[in-house]
Amino acid sequence: GSCCSRPWRCHTPHTMDASIFSAPKIDCHCHVFDPELFPYTPGVFYAPSGGEIATADYFMQVMSAYGVSHALLVGPNSGYGTDNRCMLDAIRRGGPRFKGIAVVENDASASQLQDLRAQGVVGIAFNMALLGLAHYADADALWERIAALGMCVQVQVQDDQMAELAPRLMGCGAQIVVDHHGRPDIARGLASPGFDALLRMADSGRCAVKLSGYDKFSRQALPFADAQPFTDALLSAFGPANCLWGSDWPNIRATRRLDYGTLLGVFMRSVPSEADRRAILVDTPTRLFGFESGGSN
């Protein structure tokens, strides 16, 4: 007989393949917040609190629970702005398990970037979705300094911002990493100018995209079925060799309930090929960011 009165709701958990939890993996988008040790920047636009507070020690336990060997910590605009101390402390304590993406002012010098690189930072984040394109109107010289040091330029855009931004990014010479599927406008589909511009960046061979951030663009409940065409298009254009996975843990300002294990399940279902998943979870981040030991625990 049926397991419940709504059997059509039951099949997904029952067919969940636990192998995603035992497979080697690197989380390429997560944050740490520790306001006791590292107080938030005064006047910051959002201060994570309560269940959103997420220390490095706690995250290392999450990693162990889900078989995550390494992680790329991203400096958050929430809480810390351009204060990278909490993230840098986590990298120091996590050793080779962690690398970082820092947030800096647009006039950051080459020596500032070198200092961050020496502390395990592999790139700099630019959040156009939050701060707008105008905030980064003068960032091109910084992108050149980042490129000269072999670091990556990580961008978070939404809707059609990439249509305007792509020519600048492609002109800077740095490895580009795009967050959260490019945060497309689901209603406008794959042909929207912003998403089309992102797909065309694949031809450069120096752009990678994170298959993550469903809460920031999907209009449906888990497992975010409306995101699948965008995942498929990105995989087709970029290939697994230029795709990454990230949990966005601890999912601050989330609009709905999100859990680490269910997000891994979404990824597993959305990328059905085990070989593709291995590339995205291990090989690509190891190559792009220099993680040690190829994602083994």
Side-chain angles (χ1 to χ4, degrees):
S2 171
C3 63
C4 64
S5 61
R6 294 177 293 178
W8 61 91
R9 290 275 182 94
C10 292
H11 74 281
T12 301
H14 288 188
T15 56
M16 179 69 180
D17 184 347
S19 66
I20 192 67
F21 302 120
S22 57
K25 64 190 76 73
I26 297 172
D27 186 341
C28 286
H29 199 103
C30 38
H31 311 284
V32 287
F33 300 96
D34 195 344
E36 275 195 29
L37 287 179
F38 300 96
Y40 293 144
T41 302
V44 76
F45 88 104
Y46 183 78
S49 61
E52 293 180 320
I53 292 174
T55 66
D57 287 343
Y58 190 95
F59 184 53
M60 284 190 267
Q61 294 187 55
V62 173
M63 292 170 69
S64 295
Y66 290 102
V68 178
S69 61
H70 300 78
L72 185 67
L73 302 177
V74 177
N77 293 93
S78 297
Y80 293 115
T82 57
D83 178 0
N84 295 294
R85 291 177 302 160
C86 183
M87 182 189 71
L88 293 172
D89 179 70
I91 296 172
R92 274 193 297 273
R93 289 190 291 120
R97 299 184 74 177
F98 291 145
K99 292 186 183 294
I101 301 286
V103 181
V104 301
E105 301 292 347
N106 290 352
D107 62 356
S109 67
S111 62
Q112 286 175 283
L113 297 173
Q114 286 171 327
D115 180 59
L116 289 167
R117 189 177 66 169
Q119 297 180 75
V121 169
V122 295
I124 305 297
F126 300 86
N127 195 335
M128 289 78 177
L130 175 66
L131 300 174
L133 290 173
H135 182 80
Y136 298 106
D138 61 346
D140 299 72
L142 173 58
W143 297 343
E144 292 292 355
R145 291 193 289 276
I146 292 168
L149 290 169
M151 301 166 77
C152 71
V153 170
Q154 177 176 298
V155 298
Q156 185 167 165
V157 295
Q158 64 180 353
D159 301 334
D160 283 339
Q161 287 179 323
M162 190 60 91
E164 182 178 337
L165 190 62
R168 290 175 61 197
L169 291 173
M170 290 292 90
C172 79
Q175 168 71 45
I176 307 298
V177 177
V178 179
D179 291 343
H180 306 329
H181 288 76
R183 291 180 62 169
D185 182 343
I186 291 271
R188 297 178 65 199
L190 301 176
S192 66
F195 195 72
D196 180 65
L198 172 57
L199 292 176
R200 284 187 279 110
M201 290 168 70
D203 293 338
S204 71
R206 57 181 181 83
C207 181
V209 64
K210 297 183 186 181
L211 305 180
S212 59
Y214 301 92
D215 184 61
K216 291 177 166 63
F217 67 95
S218 172
R219 298 186 175 196
Q220 296 182 1
L222 190 110
F224 314 118
D226 59 349
Q228 189 64 45
F230 296 86
T231 301
D232 291 342
L234 291 170
L235 260 177
S236 177
F238 285 87
N242 287 293
C243 289
L244 303 156
W245 175 79
S247 65
D248 202 19
W249 189 90
N251 308 110
I252 58 166
R253 303 175 73 215
T255 63
R256 60 201 118 179
R257 178 77 198 184
L258 299 170
D259 295 286
Y260 207 97
T262 50
L263 289 171
L264 277 169
V266 168
F267 171 74
M268 189 196 70
R269 286 188 292 265
S270 67
V271 182
S273 161
E274 187 174 348
D276 288 354
R277 292 199 299 267
R278 167 80 192 193
I280 294 165
L281 291 173
V282 178
D283 302 338
T284 301
T286 298
R287 186 187 83 249
L288 287 181
F289 306 124
F291 286 106
E292 297 176 14
S293 70
S296 60
N297 284 298

